[in-house]
Amino acid sequence: DVAPEPDSSTGLVQVSLQGTPHQVMGTVQGSTPALRQINGATFKQPAPLSGPLLIYRAKASDSSALATLTGLLSKAGVQLLSYHSSSTVAGEQWSVVGLSAPLPNLGELKPRVTEIFQLHL
């Protein structure tokens, strides 16, 4: 479902990822969709949604998810192309990570995050 926002360049969408509903707001920058908000957490700079992406939610006070992610990227030979983090809501932040290729295994990262999704758009 899409509900246009007053400035008409954004839309509010209800999506379900792995059976969990999420409310997202986005826009289009040029021809690339960009995420502006997820479940009330706002990105200062809209996060471009293209190519291999890793989207995760973790405690804002715990930097171990990002440290673990950089280790996984190094092991897999995958480059981090972009990183966007949201405002904090209920002590947690969303991160959208643009990658040069999908990660083959998220096992080490899953215990450090609340939710994680890997997409290729």
Side-chain angles (χ1 to χ4, degrees):
D1 298 332
V2 176
E5 290 296 305
D7 69 5
S8 75
S9 67
T10 63
L12 181 64
V13 180
Q14 182 81 23
V15 296
S16 183
L17 298 170
Q18 297 177 345
T20 304
H22 296 282
Q23 191 173 62
V24 297
M25 184 181 298
T27 188
V28 177
Q29 297 177 327
S31 62
T32 303
L35 183 62
R36 292 180 59 190
Q37 189 178 88
I38 183 167
N39 296 344
T42 303
F43 292 86
K44 285 184 182 180
Q45 294 292 329
L49 300 175
S50 65
L53 295 171
L54 187 65
I55 302 173
Y56 67 88
R57 179 170 54 107
K59 291 183 180 175
S61 60
D62 184 1
S63 62
S64 68
L66 185 56
T68 301
L69 174 60
T70 56
L72 288 174
L73 293 172
S74 178
K75 286 180 197 174
V78 174
Q79 294 177 333
L80 186 143
L81 301 178
S82 64
Y83 179 86
H84 293 80
S85 62
S86 73
S87 60
T88 300
V89 173
E92 294 187 316
Q93 282 183 304
W94 285 92
S95 296
V96 177
V97 185
L99 304 172
S100 62
L103 283 170
N105 185 346
L106 300 176
E108 287 181 51
L109 193 53
K110 286 183 179 182
R112 307 209 182 283
V113 299
T114 307
E115 286 185 84
I116 188 165
F117 312 103
Q118 190 161 220
L119 311 168
H120 192 264
L121 303 173

